[in-house]
Amino acid sequence: MKIVLLSDTHLDATDGRVAGLDPRRRLHTALLDIVGHNGDADLCIICGDLTEDGSRASYEQLAGMLRRFPIPVRLLLGNHDERAEFLAVFPETETDENGFVQSVLDTPRGRLIFLDSLETGRAGGRLCGHRLGWLQARLEEVPGEPVHVFLHHPPFAIGVSTLDSCRLSPADADALKVLLKAHGNVRGLFAGHVHRAVFAEWGGLAAAALPSTNHQTALELGGARAGLGTDRPSYGIALLGADETVLHIKSFVPPS
């Protein structure tokens, strides 16, 4: 099974530019690259920070861009998003019983679980008791089955202090780890938020964070503040096999 993974598209309906770049043109280029090189993908997942400003107009921009995209898409929320505005434009999106944008997709390669780590008013992420309880129930429905988990905020530190200060709440990350390890067959966890390709072993679980389709974060380990990086915009390609999960990172040439 091939899954295309995008993150941090940061569409902005106000002046259209974020970090001095045009996120709409860059996302358009990414979608063209996907169709040209990975059009056989079974699914595309965008791992949050869909917009920069959380406005309905930004979500309408995204809806318009995805209208003719030939691959099924799942959309996750990040700290720049607004849940109510998102759901107004994408009313078909599944939510849990508490209104969080959480759902599952059962596939021949196991269960995919999509989490909502948005906590309004915070740059960092949360998985409150309601969200963790929902996750526990979904894991218990498929004992022993392969599981892949997707969310916006990484639960692990990456060594860049600016980003580590606004990752998933450490207490919530610990609770998440307990649930995933108890299941016993979590094949991978994928996040966004950090605008870098990062690969980690987290409590015995394979995990990764994805780059942005717009702007990247500089690799400044231990620094007080991470600036903008010069890496090309990129997306991920996850290959889910019977006994393995492989993640590739595909860069694309941004529009001039």
Side-chain angles (χ1 to χ4, degrees):
M1 182 177 185
K2 178 189 281 191
I3 300 177
V4 175
L5 297 165
L6 288 76
S7 193
D8 296 274
T9 51
H10 284 276
L11 296 179
D12 192 328
T14 54
D15 62 11
R17 300 189 75 81
V18 175
L21 304 169
D22 187 336
R24 189 175 189 278
R25 291 187 65 197
R26 289 189 165 219
L27 176 57
H28 177 70
T29 303
L31 296 177
L32 289 177
D33 192 272
I34 291 166
V35 172
H37 296 282
N38 293 287
D40 60 339
D42 301 288
L43 181 67
C44 175
I45 303 169
I46 307 182
C47 293
D49 278 0
L50 307 172
T51 74
E52 173 71 8
D53 58 358
S55 68
R56 187 169 303 192
S58 292
Y59 293 117
E60 288 171 345
Q61 280 187 359
L62 178 60
M65 296 177 73
L66 295 176
R67 195 162 289 127
R68 292 187 175 87
F69 189 58
I71 302 169
V73 179
R74 289 277 179 142
L75 302 174
L76 281 61
L77 298 184
N79 49 289
H80 279 264
D81 291 306
E82 293 288 344
R83 200 174 284 110
E85 295 298 323
F86 166 77
L87 290 171
V89 177
F90 294 96
E92 71 283 359
T93 302
E94 292 183 52
T95 59
D96 67 14
E97 62 270 21
N98 293 295
F100 294 110
V101 181
Q102 303 201 134
S103 63
V104 302
L105 178 64
D106 289 317
T107 78
R109 294 307 186 195
R111 171 163 282 192
L112 311 184
I113 301 182
F114 310 102
L115 298 176
D116 181 343
S117 61
L118 165 61
E119 185 75 359
T120 302
R122 287 173 49 113
R126 289 292 319 277
L127 288 175
C128 63
H130 292 302
R131 284 173 272 192
L132 289 169
W134 176 91
L135 171 62
Q136 182 176 2
R138 303 292 80 76
L139 291 170
E140 290 174 350
E141 290 171 349
V142 287
E145 292 296 314
V147 167
H148 293 80
V149 178
F150 305 84
L151 75 168
H152 180 68
H153 293 86
F156 51 88
I158 68 169
V160 178
S161 56
T162 307
L163 300 171
D164 290 341
S165 66
C166 62
R167 65 185 179 95
L168 187 69
S169 156
D172 295 348
D174 289 343
L176 173 64
K177 185 190 302 179
V178 168
L179 290 178
L180 298 184
K181 292 186 74 173
H183 177 74
N185 197 9
V186 176
R187 300 287 182 85
L189 178 145
F190 302 89
H193 190 55
V194 298
H195 293 237
R196 290 200 59 79
V198 181
F199 306 95
E201 180 273 321
W202 173 60
L205 300 171
L210 297 160
S212 168
T213 57
N214 191 59
H215 56 289
Q216 312 311 313
T217 303
L219 183 59
E220 296 176 6
L221 297 175
R225 182 170 180 81
L228 293 177
T230 57
D231 298 336
R232 283 184 176 178
S234 306
Y235 60 89
I237 307 158
L239 304 177
L240 310 187
D243 297 309
E244 69 283 321
T245 298
V246 175
L247 177 64
H248 296 275
I249 300 297
K250 171 73 165 65
S251 64
F252 57 91
V253 178
S256 56

